[in-house]
Amino acid sequence: MTLINDHYQKLQAGYLFPEIGRRVSAFQQENPDAAVIKLGIGDVTLPLAPAITEALHAAVDETGEAAYGYGPENGYPFLKEAIAQHDYASRGVEIALDEIFVSDGSKQDSGNVQEIFDIGSTLCVTDPSYPVYVDTNVMAGRTGGASASGHYEGIVYLPATEANAFMPGPPEERVDLAYLCSPNNPTGAVATRENLSQWVEWARRNEATILFDAAYDAFIQDASLPHSIFEIEGAAECAIEMRSFSKRAGFTGTRCAYMAIPKTVMGRSASGEAVSLNTLWSRRHSTKFNEVPYIIQKAAAAVFSPEGAAQTGEQVAYYMENARRIRQGLGDAGFAVFGGEHAPYIWMRTPGDLSSWDFFDQLLQRSHVVGTPGSGFGPAGEGFFRISAFNSHENVDEAIERISKGFGS
Ligand SMILES: *Cc1c(COP(=O)(O)O)cnc(C)c1O
């Protein structure tokens, strides 16, 4: 038999969401009449906005009139221009078209980006974090095994706690790569300008690279908070940014995202010469990826049209109204709740010192509500629970009522 990539054997049992799915179907089989409300997985619940489906229809017709074969390697200029203008220039950030790489998802980008760095690179993550950052480095062989507490050897974990407003600062020690996500999944916390400045200063002093995931930037409610790490002086020398149309415009099933890599972000070769990460990623992307379909890039560009921006803005506002209700409702019921002000996630402490998974089971049994155990996002998530705002107002209200009845003080 052929030898496998043994690093996969180090991954901790089961990806979080399949395990949740398994427990929910088992419950539903035993309780066929229970109306389960799902506030678990981070997926949108509203349909694509009309401006987007109109753009899709029009693009489909175009593909019946002329050949749209392989698109330009890093994305169509019409989409990259809209991105550069609306996501960057509008906030005073200059990003050139050849610094934008359109892709089919930030999950892919945040998992693939580690490939352009040395296998011996050290890394840090905020804990808890989006599982892709850790798991893809484990698969690549950049870590040892996991300890009983769930920490992989070779990764520096920075606990997100109430004391640091769930937005930890940089580590004491030097590491090569730092994964940051703001607004944060799962904690719902948001980085301030001061938080990001501290990270950028640390990265420049240590010649480290920040991998910044801004999948939820559209959920930021306060205009003074940074949407992009490139709003911070010096970030164009030390950061890569990932953005996605998934949460901001309901593209989780439609698939479009991008990575922004200023040409000024450098790495170092073994012989000590500076190499542009933009050039490296361009090489990787064009070798392993054949662009997002024309019709999907047209749909993504429609997110920036006046109608598209207004309609997707209303969808974000709808989810944020859910977040407000959850924060308020569970807070009134006596739970300790965090986040949810600039992100579609509420991070709550489990009641009575229950473990994250014990609370998951009790919540399902007593309230017929599904959430996500905090421990699934990292060791420091133990004792916490993530409630997602992606659902209808009606279901959210019903869920809050049931949780308050089942557990409230
Ligand atoms: C949902 C999400 C993404 C986006 O993934 P896509 O592949 O673009 O759908 C990226 N990062 C985080 C933290 C997310 O929660």
Side-chain angles (χ1 to χ4, degrees), residues 334-338 347-360 363 372-375 381-386 407:
F335 289 100
V337 289
F338 309 94
W347 189 239
M348 60 183 279
R349 205 185 295 287
T350 60
D353 286 332
L354 287 175
S355 77
S356 298
W357 276 112
D358 284 347
F359 182 60
F360 174 91
L363 189 64
T372 314
S375 56
E382 183 55 270
F384 285 89
F385 203 73
R386 189 191 76 175
F407 295 88

Side-chain angles (χ1 to χ4, degrees), residues 9 16 35 41 46 64-65 68 76 142 151 171 212 236 238 259 264-265 267 278 282-283 296 340 395:
Q9 306 287 90
L16 177 62
I41 195 164
L46 293 169
E65 286 151 13
Y68 285 86
Y76 280 96
R142 214 168 261 117
H151 298 86
F212 188 71
C238 63
M259 201 138 85
T264 42
V265 196
N278 177 293
S282 180
R283 188 61 206 267
I296 304 298
N395 281 345

